[in-house]
Amino acid sequence: MNEVDYKLLVEQVQAFADTENDFVPLFSNVSALLYEALEDLNWAGFYLLDKGSLLLGPFQGKTACIRIQPGRGVCGTALVKDEVLRVANVHEFPGHIACDCASESEIVVPLHCGGEVVGVLDIDSPRQDRFSEEDEEGLRAVARRLEAVTDFSRLRLY
Ligand code: SME
């Protein structure tokens, strides 16, 4: 499998944000960027807090479920625990929400604004155990840069 240049991805996130940092265009381009840069994906995108639950945000891949309650699925669990969840086999994750039955593994990285968790980056693969420790570190770096540069002011958190 090709090595992903996560340092370059972080720089590209910064370049997008230098043009426009509203979360809709920024996360749209970042989901497209990740979907192209990482091999063997079937979904890459964002769920963001809206009136107390996770609302589908910009993404690439097949149509997906629109709202996820806190604590539900991998995304809702990562949100509540405020932890990165790297799931090697989604069929073994209790309560996993299968938007695409092709999904076999998944990584979810929480996103923060002002120290509070406000959403997640969610990436799915049709290959079991697709995401390595290096991918986790790289995607954490992408998320940290996004948190630093994004204008979240249009979110409706409560
Ligand atoms: N699998 C996720 C749901 C979102 S889709 O993968 C796009 C979950 O269990 O939370």
Side-chain angles (χ1 to χ4, degrees):
M1 199 164 62
N2 291 334
E3 283 281 302
V4 178
D5 187 345
Y6 282 104
K7 190 168 172 287
L8 177 62
L9 289 180
V10 170
E11 287 168 7
Q12 287 171 309
V13 167
Q14 182 68 55
F16 287 141
D18 288 343
T19 305
E20 173 58 63
N21 71 342
D22 177 83
F23 75 90
V24 175
L26 181 56
F27 288 11
S28 299
N29 273 334
V30 172
S31 58
L33 187 70
L34 294 174
Y35 198 69
E36 280 209 10
L38 278 71
E39 288 180 353
D40 293 341
L41 302 188
N42 59 330
W43 205 88
F46 296 87
Y47 281 90
L48 296 159
L49 271 180
D50 174 276
K51 297 185 284 181
S53 62
L54 285 171
L55 180 63
L56 180 62
F59 71 94
Q60 299 275 305
K62 287 188 180 172
T63 57
C65 57
I66 292 173
R67 271 195 194 271
I68 299 175
Q69 296 303 319
R72 301 292 306 277
V74 185
C75 292
T77 305
L79 178 88
V80 167
K81 289 189 167 173
D82 194 1
E83 273 175 16
V84 175
L85 293 183
R86 186 156 55 96
V87 181
N89 179 355
V90 294
H91 306 294
E92 290 175 357
F93 188 94
H96 167 253
I97 301 164
C99 294
D100 179 350
C101 59
S103 294
E104 293 286 342
S105 61
E106 180 163 2
I107 186 165
V108 179
V109 183
L111 293 168
H112 304 84
C113 174
E116 298 292 317
V117 61
V118 293
V120 297
L121 167 63
D122 178 23
I123 304 183
D124 292 356
S125 172
R127 187 154 62 76
Q128 277 202 9
D129 205 8
R130 158 67 184 79
F131 302 101
S132 63
E133 268 186 54
E134 289 72 28
D135 290 313
E136 179 175 333
E137 282 317 301
L139 292 169
R140 281 179 189 267
V142 168
R144 293 301 79 80
R145 181 59 60 99
L146 271 179
E147 290 169 343
V149 297
T150 302
D151 177 0
F152 286 109
S153 60
R154 291 205 289 136
L155 287 186
R156 302 178 297 179
L157 297 176
Y158 303 106

